[in-house]
Amino acid sequence: MTQTSNFLLGLGLHAGAHGDDPDWRGFWGGLVGRLDGVAEFLTLEDRFADPGQDGLDAILLANWLAPRSRQIGIIAGAPLNFVEPFHVSTAIATLDYVSEGRAGLLAQRLGWQRSAEAGRAIGALNGFPAIEQPSLDSDALAAIEVVRRLWDSWEDHAVIRDVASQRYVDGEKLHYIDFQNADFRVLGPSITPRPPQGQPAVAVSWTADADLALARAADVVFVPAAGDLAGMAAKLRGDGPGKEPKLIADLHVGPDGWDASDLAAAIRTSAAQGARGVRLILPDPHRQIADVVDTLVPALRADVLADPPLGGHLRSRFSLPAVRNRYAAAA
Amino acid sequence: MSKKQIILGAQFPGVNNFTVWSDPAAGSQIEFSSFRHFAESVERGKFDFIFLAEGLRVREQKGRFHELDVVGRPNTLAILTALASITRHVGLIGTLTTTFNEPYPLARQLATLDILSGGRAGWNVVTSPGAFTGANFRRGDHLPFRERYERARDFLETARSVWRGGDFYASSPHFDIAGRTGWGPLPQGAPVIAQAGDSDDGRELAAGHADLIYSRHGTLEEGQTFHADVKQRLAKYGRSRDALKILPGANFVLGETLEDALEKQKAIRLQQVSPKNAIVFLEQVWNRDLTAYDPDGPLPDVDPDVAVEQLAQGRAARYDNRLETARAWREVAEREKLSIRELIIKVTARKQFVGTPAQVAEEIDRYVQADAADGFVFAPHLTPGGFDEFVEKVIPILQERKVFRQDYAASTLRGNLGLPEAWQPVAKAV
Ligand SMILES: Cc1cc2nc3c(=O)[nH]c(=O)nc-3n(C[C@H](O)[C@H](O)[C@H](O)COP(=O)(O)O)c2cc1C
């Protein structure tokens, strides 16, 4: 039996309403306690404007989970088309401070129906995209660019506390990002200093109908395990070795149980095709989480996933390259 | 008659010159450990709430980033939600603008904070300065002053419809939205609403919609005048005088003796108004480059420049009549023989309670019993330990005087503030 080495195991959950259980704190507090030290990372999908399913804001939930955990990476979702990139950038930077380098952003692409509902929930506004797929996709790319530039808009060590010159900050180390496209403009700099990871990991869930540019803009790409992983890996490598985003294979864990050896086989295949890890998607975590943690994960560890979670900064766990600040003068 | 109970808010020292960074005891403004220290300290002191201000653009002076004061802060809602995770009783109030947010996303974030804190969320509603801050947001436009308050009012009504849970709907001049959420009634029904506007429109918004006012009228007489003005506005909205609490912002300095405290106060004010910062404050009124002037020398002979655009950007307080302000400042400086720096230390001071712990406690109590305030939002000058001594020495005296809680009595912020437990729709002004 071959075991993969250093292969990441994550879980995919959503922050929306889970049945009628009103004990949100009990559920999420218990869940993160169980998962910390067991799974490498957690993705929290935001059910923004999903009628009846809409629940917690995923980035805020992530900030609540972070102080209650020590090791698990927390990748929080946001529907970038419908929110302010400036607020998303500072909230994820804050998550990175609170979690001491375990933060990621899941840039969510909503389907057309969900987009129409989200558009209805925020209203028709200047500076937001039209509810048409091409506008939504190009807007998401723009928003990711803004979020990332804002993270770089403070150089490391911008805060100098220099009593002699009476200066708290070195203004030369703050930068306008001056992003502008046909729809909106963001000047910057951020109000939040550069987060511990520099660039928290940006992830997207990619399906074949989406623009490849969206996957290229990300650090981590979730793709269905049953899809053409090897082909996808080849497409993404276009940017040159070392720069391409890491692929994570999505495996759905059905609400009515699973076959651990089937899942182990799928994990082996994914690893062979170039995935960096797997994400187990749980549609009904309320009912599933206990079994997954107590039975499924130990079975997968015994069978295929040799290593316990790595810990450390989330970027490094995905083997992402070190980041350089685009605004810092070359040393 | 039993004495009025004092409400205490704890402002995290933020982006302004009151936060002293040059002191060896000054810690990080951004690491979570600072926020943890601060929150644990004020919760130990049974404070009603933690309070965060907002500024969504790095401040500028003469077209350059303002370097002399603390700058850099976390996202307000994100850090408050993180603090909800490590505290159990203290309220969490964030300042958030209605100008660069939209009702549905912001209301659901506040709902999230209320749910995850078990009913401790609060929102200080501000209407924000204009285009300078707008440059960081999708809808970069800004609104004329009057419309900002109309929008704020509509915004609050729309947010309330989202907070009710289930179907929400708004059709007003500013918002046309609809949808359905998946949460039931929030722990507090709705977050506690605070308001900090000072204009007539701001006061009306508070009288009709707010639970708290964060005011700048901290002296005894100004406080009483403001208190009376706002409380008399409540009746026409069908609200009782207890429905709105008035909390001026204030500072404190503690010492072994009064003299010791006054010495410390002097040293702190010098740290807060560095020589260069004194010039920057003067430039806000004179609206010209004054870097050539000696901070320890007299005021400039020249008058303010009223022809050109404002040099200082991103500050909450502005001097609308520069010529008049300059004339008044000159008079003070001449009468009291003050240098530029001494003058600025004097004219930019906030209400400060200075003395021994017993004197400070007594004076706070006196102000509250005299209806100059219902309590205060204190901002210490140091991060993160600025409240430690206050909690250790002043709080027990307030408790002995039976004007401050021994322990939290309710599980929600609303309950601890003595506000009606469930939010009641507010009648429109007649
Ligand atoms: C004590 C006090 C604190 C304030 N704090 C903030 C703040 O943190 N962020 C902000 O954008 N505006 C702040 N403001 C501005 C006001 O909320 C309001 O938007 C502004 O004063 C304009 O309205 P007005 O003319 O009614 O006062 C503050 C105002 C006061 C009086």
Side-chain angles (χ1 to χ4, degrees):
Chain A
M1 238 330 104
T2 49
Q3 290 213 317
T4 61
S5 78
N6 221 355
F7 197 69
L8 308 181
L9 171 68
L11 286 192
L13 308 174
H14 69 78
H18 290 286
D20 303 323
D21 190 349
D23 182 15
W24 301 84
R25 292 194 294 165
F27 169 64
W28 284 106
L31 181 134
V32 78
R34 281 174 169 280
L35 287 181
D36 198 28
V38 171
E40 194 75 66
F41 65 87
L42 176 65
T43 61
L44 296 168
E45 189 199 323
D46 192 300
R47 284 286 164 94
F48 191 91
D50 195 349
Q53 286 270 305
D54 185 13
L56 304 180
D57 178 277
I59 299 184
L60 296 187
L61 173 60
N63 275 280
W64 189 81
L65 295 175
R68 298 174 171 250
S69 56
R70 307 178 68 88
Q71 202 191 23
I72 193 163
I74 306 175
I75 303 175
L80 296 179
N81 294 138
F82 305 99
V83 290
E84 287 286 355
F86 192 88
H87 293 319
V88 171
S89 185
T90 60
I92 295 288
T94 301
L95 177 63
D96 211 34
Y97 280 103
V98 175
S99 67
E100 298 180 329
R102 295 182 280 132
L105 167 66
L106 178 65
Q108 283 177 232
R109 181 176 186 264
L110 305 185
W112 190 86
Q113 180 65 30
R114 284 278 310 283
S115 293
E117 278 149 1
R120 197 69 197 98
I122 64 165
L125 301 169
N126 288 338
F128 287 77
I131 311 294
E132 298 156 359
Q133 209 57 57
S135 313
L136 294 168
D137 283 348
S138 68
D139 180 78
L141 281 174
I144 290 173
E145 177 71 12
V146 168
V147 167
R148 285 189 181 282
R149 285 195 200 175
L150 287 168
W151 287 333
D152 278 349
S153 65
W154 287 54
E155 292 184 36
D156 293 332
H157 315 297
V159 172
I160 51 173
R161 295 179 189 251
D162 183 37
V163 178
S165 68
Q166 302 167 38
R167 292 181 312 153
Y168 175 81
V169 72
D170 178 357
E172 302 281 313
K173 291 196 161 88
L174 303 190
H175 302 276
Y176 295 118
I177 69 160
D178 209 4
F179 177 90
Q180 187 155 19
N181 70 11
D183 296 318
F184 71 98
R185 174 174 185 212
V186 174
L187 183 61
S190 182
I191 51 165
T192 308
R194 193 157 192 258
Q197 293 184 91
Q199 292 277 320
V202 175
V204 298
S205 292
W206 197 81
T207 47
D209 66 324
D211 188 347
L212 195 64
L214 201 59
R216 286 226 170 94
D219 299 308
V220 174
V221 179
F222 296 107
V223 281
D228 177 13
L229 279 176
M232 183 66 187
K235 275 192 217 159
L236 291 176
R237 226 171 284 129
D239 290 351
K243 290 226 170 129
E244 74 273 16
K246 307 297 173 186
L247 285 185
I248 301 289
D250 276 345
L251 286 169
H252 287 265
V253 178
D256 306 315
W258 57 77
D259 183 322
S261 58
D262 284 356
L263 288 172
I267 288 173
R268 236 173 242 114
T269 310
S270 304
Q273 294 192 333
R276 179 75 191 79
V278 286
R279 175 174 69 157
L280 304 179
I281 310 258
L282 309 189
D284 190 0
H286 254 90
R287 282 181 45 221
Q288 295 176 289
I289 197 71
D291 270 358
V292 166
V293 171
D294 297 340
T295 314
L296 178 58
V297 172
L300 295 177
R301 290 250 177 269
D303 188 349
V304 57
L305 296 166
D307 305 307
L310 300 165
H313 276 190
L314 187 59
R315 282 189 70 88
S316 72
R317 306 188 211 180
F318 282 107
S319 312
L320 291 165
V323 283
R324 150 175 185 270
N325 188 331
R326 73 197 72 197
Y327 299 114
Chain B
M1 208 176 95
S2 72
K3 294 178 92 187
K4 257 172 88 182
Q5 291 297 299
I6 296 170
I7 294 170
L8 290 181
Q11 179 164 2
F12 190 88
V15 178
N16 57 60
N17 73 304
F18 288 100
T19 308
V20 170
W21 54 262
S22 54
D23 195 285
S28 170
Q29 290 290 133
I30 191 69
E31 297 296 333
F32 189 56
S33 55
S34 283
F35 288 88
R36 184 189 285 275
H37 179 133
F38 183 87
E40 289 175 351
S41 175
V42 303
E43 193 167 61
R44 201 163 51 241
K46 320 291 181 206
F47 272 66
D48 288 85
F49 58 86
I50 290 168
F51 182 92
L52 295 182
E54 177 181 72
L56 295 171
R57 188 161 161 197
V58 172
R59 298 187 300 168
E60 295 185 8
Q61 180 78 9
K62 294 183 284 187
R64 300 192 59 226
F65 300 122
H66 178 64
E67 296 178 312
L68 309 183
D69 298 330
V70 158
V71 53
R73 58 193 349 151
N75 176 286
T76 299
L77 283 160
I79 198 72
L80 289 178
T81 315
L83 290 178
S85 201
I86 59 159
T87 53
R88 296 172 57 90
H89 302 285
V90 70
L92 303 156
I93 303 186
T95 301
L96 300 154
T97 177
T98 53
T99 307
F100 303 110
N101 281 297
E102 294 301 323
Y104 167 69
L106 187 65
R108 85 191 274 273
Q109 288 189 308
L110 283 160
T112 301
L113 177 60
D114 205 46
I115 290 168
L116 291 176
S117 65
R120 296 184 281 137
W123 172 22
N124 179 32
V125 180
V126 295
T127 57
S128 267
F132 177 74
T133 304
N136 283 337
F137 296 95
R138 284 180 181 269
R139 32 167 322 164
D141 56 343
H142 68 292
L143 299 166
F145 179 79
R146 207 156 181 115
E147 271 179 56
R148 294 199 333 244
Y149 272 110
E150 269 172 39
R151 179 178 161 97
R153 208 173 301 255
D154 272 6
F155 198 118
L156 266 167
E157 276 162 17
T158 307
R160 294 214 140 114
S161 130
V162 176
W163 289 328
R164 272 192 280 276
D167 290 317
F168 65 88
Y169 170 83
S171 180
S172 69
H174 290 277
F175 308 108
D176 179 11
I177 67 170
R180 178 151 48 93
T181 67
W183 61 78
L186 297 178
Q188 293 185 102
V192 166
I193 301 296
Q195 213 291 123
D198 200 33
S199 60
D200 200 55
D201 280 344
R203 294 177 188 201
E204 284 301 318
L205 180 70
H209 289 260
D211 302 304
L212 304 177
I213 294 188
Y214 175 40
S215 97
R216 31 175 154 253
H217 305 288
T219 63
L220 190 67
E221 299 73 29
E222 281 179 41
Q224 286 173 325
T225 309
F226 182 76
H227 195 273
D229 173 274
V230 177
K231 296 265 176 171
Q232 60 82 21
R233 293 172 194 250
L234 289 165
K236 71 170 179 275
Y237 297 93
R239 304 180 75 198
S240 78
R241 286 175 64 85
D242 294 341
L244 178 63
K245 312 289 185 189
I246 296 169
L247 311 174
N251 303 100
F252 61 88
V253 182
L254 300 174
E256 303 282 330
T257 60
L258 179 60
E259 295 66 42
D260 177 40
L262 288 168
E263 271 310 299
K264 280 192 191 157
Q265 179 195 27
K266 209 168 147 194
I268 292 167
R269 289 300 287 148
L270 285 168
Q271 287 175 309
Q272 289 172 329
V273 183
S274 65
K276 282 186 185 164
N277 232 343
I279 297 296
V280 166
F281 273 104
L282 204 66
E283 285 176 344
Q284 283 175 56
V285 173
W286 259 254
N287 213 38
R288 27 171 117 241
D289 186 346
L290 302 176
T291 34
Y293 286 81
D294 177 4
D296 294 321
L299 294 193
D301 314 324
V302 291
D303 272 331
D305 188 342
V306 289
V308 299
E309 204 192 328
Q310 194 164 291
L311 296 177
Q313 296 271 22
R315 287 169 186 265
R318 290 194 302 276
Y319 301 98
D320 291 332
N321 189 341
R322 296 191 198 111
L323 286 175
E324 175 51 30
T325 307
R327 195 197 53 72
W329 284 12
R330 262 208 194 101
E331 211 176 278
V332 176
E334 274 161 30
R335 192 174 60 233
E336 302 185 22
K337 310 241 176 313
L338 302 179
S339 69
I340 291 175
R341 193 177 180 200
E342 288 164 338
L343 174 81
I344 296 299
I345 285 174
K346 184 178 175 78
V347 296
T348 62
R350 285 194 225 168
K351 172 62 199 170
Q352 286 199 312
F353 292 92
V354 184
T356 64
Q359 288 167 333
V360 165
E362 189 279 325
E363 197 185 6
I364 292 171
D365 189 16
R366 184 159 60 84
Y367 273 54
V368 171
Q369 305 310 329
D371 275 349
D374 297 317
F376 291 92
V377 179
F378 279 109
H381 68 281
L382 284 179
T383 305
F387 274 116
D388 295 355
E389 194 184 359
F390 189 96
V391 166
E392 195 193 319
K393 297 181 179 160
V394 180
I395 294 287
I397 301 174
L398 293 173
Q399 290 169 329
E400 272 165 36
R401 298 174 76 98
K402 306 224 181 306
V403 290
F404 192 66
R405 67 174 65 80
Q406 290 286 344
D407 209 343
Y408 292 100
S411 67
T412 65
L413 172 58
R414 198 169 277 285
N416 282 317
L417 290 169
L419 294 164
E421 192 66 37
W423 176 77
Q424 320 247 312
V426 170
K428 286 229 187 309
V430 281

